Amino acid sequence: MPGLAFYIVDVFAVAKYTGNQLAVFTNAANLSPEQMQQIAKEVNYSETTFVTSTQMVSDGYNVRIFTPEQELPFAGHPTLGTAYILQKEIIKTTVQKILLNLKVGQIPVTVDDANSSEECLWMQQKAPTFHQILDADKIAEVLRIQSTEIDSRFPIQEVSTGVPFIIVPLKTLESVKRIKVNKDKYFELINTTDAKSILVFCPETYKQENHLNVRVFCDYLGIPEDPATGSANGCLAGYLVEYSYFGKQEINVRVEQGYEINRPSLLLLQAEKKDVAIEVNVGGKVIMVAKGEFV
């Protein structure tokens, strides 16, 4: 493990030291999965990524993603953050598209640098799939809110673009802010679901220019609350289109997350129903914070 280079970036950031932290290890080809898991636990961010091929394989770069507890087939902010590091530190030139070979499959990331001061990275996620619809009373118990605070016009549902999430529509920001997860009820619930994490959202926001406020809870993965979750928001984007939340089957919205844990984040969601599938893109800014070496 000596000489293992790493970079720390903030993903979906609104400024330095906001968004979701990510550690990226760029010369990880010789690490075993067990070593990767140990390092991810030591770093203790919501996710850590390992680039296992600095040369292209099938036109992309092999990348593995670990939480402090387990490996994931896909996650949003690690995808964008790793693509950013690949461009800046491996490719070392501006490219319009970078392909990441993840366990879920190949995920394209595009770089929108029309305005260099506001460079934005976008990932196209797998088409969303829609699964079990859940009971409002059970979810209310988990979140320690009243079931009347849930927007009954829309379902509470498991949605996946590679990793499933339980999507919960709430009516007000006040309800979102008051959530304190009942861990016993949470673990009881996820024994009956494929999704192990919960995304709650509402149409009231801290910032007037944003369209939705979101919180994501992932205790099963060792992450009580995530400050910015690209995979979950990809599921949300598909959900918003599927149920015409904004009155149409196409969205282009700004989502704020992480305000309740003092890591304000901004995620950009674009989605549209095309034929029978929904095309989902999630974007945001990445900011370099640090680089170094594990010894």
Side-chain angles (χ1 to χ4, degrees):
M1 235 187 280
L4 193 60
F6 72 89
Y7 301 85
I8 294 173
V9 292
D10 289 336
V11 186
F12 299 122
V14 294
K16 206 171 189 179
Y17 312 130
T18 68
N20 206 343
Q21 300 150 304
L22 176 72
V24 182
F25 290 81
T26 52
N27 57 334
N30 295 323
L31 293 179
S32 69
E34 292 75 21
Q35 288 173 313
M36 294 180 195
Q37 186 64 76
Q38 287 176 327
I39 292 169
K41 195 169 187 67
E42 179 71 17
V43 172
N44 205 37
Y45 290 161
S46 55
E47 282 100 7
T48 296
T49 62
F50 300 87
V51 179
T52 59
S53 67
T54 55
Q55 300 296 318
M56 284 195 289
V57 178
S58 300
D59 296 323
Y61 296 89
N62 293 342
V63 175
R64 299 180 72 166
I65 303 171
F66 286 79
T67 76
E69 299 296 330
Q70 66 183 69
E71 186 171 9
L72 294 179
F74 171 69
H77 93 272
T79 299
L80 285 193
T82 305
Y84 175 89
I85 292 299
L86 284 167
Q87 177 187 298
K88 299 295 184 185
E89 303 296 332
I90 304 299
I91 302 169
K92 293 187 177 179
T93 186
T94 301
V95 293
Q96 290 189 325
K97 182 180 285 189
I98 301 167
L99 300 176
L100 271 63
N101 303 325
L102 305 177
K103 289 215 163 185
V104 76
Q106 197 167 67
I107 299 293
V109 176
T110 56
V111 182
D112 179 3
D113 61 351
N115 180 348
S116 59
S117 65
E118 292 293 332
E119 180 182 82
C120 183
L121 279 73
W122 290 88
M123 62 184 153
Q124 183 176 337
Q125 298 188 10
K126 301 293 183 183
T129 54
F130 299 85
H131 305 282
Q132 181 180 181
I133 291 176
L134 303 175
D135 179 71
D137 290 333
K138 285 186 179 178
I139 295 295
E141 284 185 336
V142 172
L143 302 177
R144 289 196 173 107
I145 60 173
Q146 300 299 312
S147 58
T148 54
E149 298 176 74
I150 297 171
D151 191 341
S152 60
R153 296 175 301 165
F154 305 97
I156 301 165
Q157 189 168 21
E158 293 183 77
V159 184
S160 178
T161 61
V163 174
F165 288 83
I166 299 167
I167 307 297
V168 184
L170 299 187
K171 295 175 183 176
T172 68
L173 182 60
E174 183 57 37
S175 294
V176 173
K177 289 160 69 173
R178 283 195 296 101
I179 289 170
K180 293 188 184 301
V181 173
N182 182 321
K183 291 191 180 181
D184 290 339
K185 294 291 185 182
Y186 163 80
F187 282 104
E188 184 180 308
L189 172 73
I190 64 173
N191 280 332
T192 68
T193 60
D194 291 329
K196 307 304 180 188
S197 303
I198 301 172
L199 178 149
V200 302
F201 75 97
C202 76
E204 296 179 354
T205 57
Y206 288 89
K207 298 290 186 181
Q208 187 176 0
E209 63 269 25
N210 298 332
H211 300 96
L212 297 172
N213 177 273
V214 157
R215 294 180 75 179
V216 176
F217 305 100
C218 317
D219 264 299
Y220 178 83
L221 300 175
I223 308 159
E225 181 168 355
D226 203 32
T229 320
S231 52
N233 276 277
C235 296
L236 174 61
Y239 175 101
L240 297 172
V241 168
E242 178 72 8
Y243 295 108
S244 299
Y245 186 85
F246 290 103
K248 54 187 177 180
Q249 293 189 316
E250 179 180 359
I251 61 161
N252 183 2
V253 297
R254 296 165 57 95
V255 173
E256 61 184 34
Q257 187 181 336
Y259 281 73
E260 294 77 14
I261 55 173
N262 298 314
R263 293 287 302 191
S265 307
L266 176 65
L267 301 95
L268 309 176
L269 310 185
Q270 294 180 353
E272 180 181 1
K273 187 160 245 182
K274 294 187 173 181
D275 298 323
V276 294
I278 298 172
E279 182 178 295
V280 170
N281 290 277
V282 177
K285 288 177 62 176
V286 181
I287 298 175
M288 180 89 79
V289 173
K291 55 185 173 181
E293 186 177 277
F294 261 42
V295 297

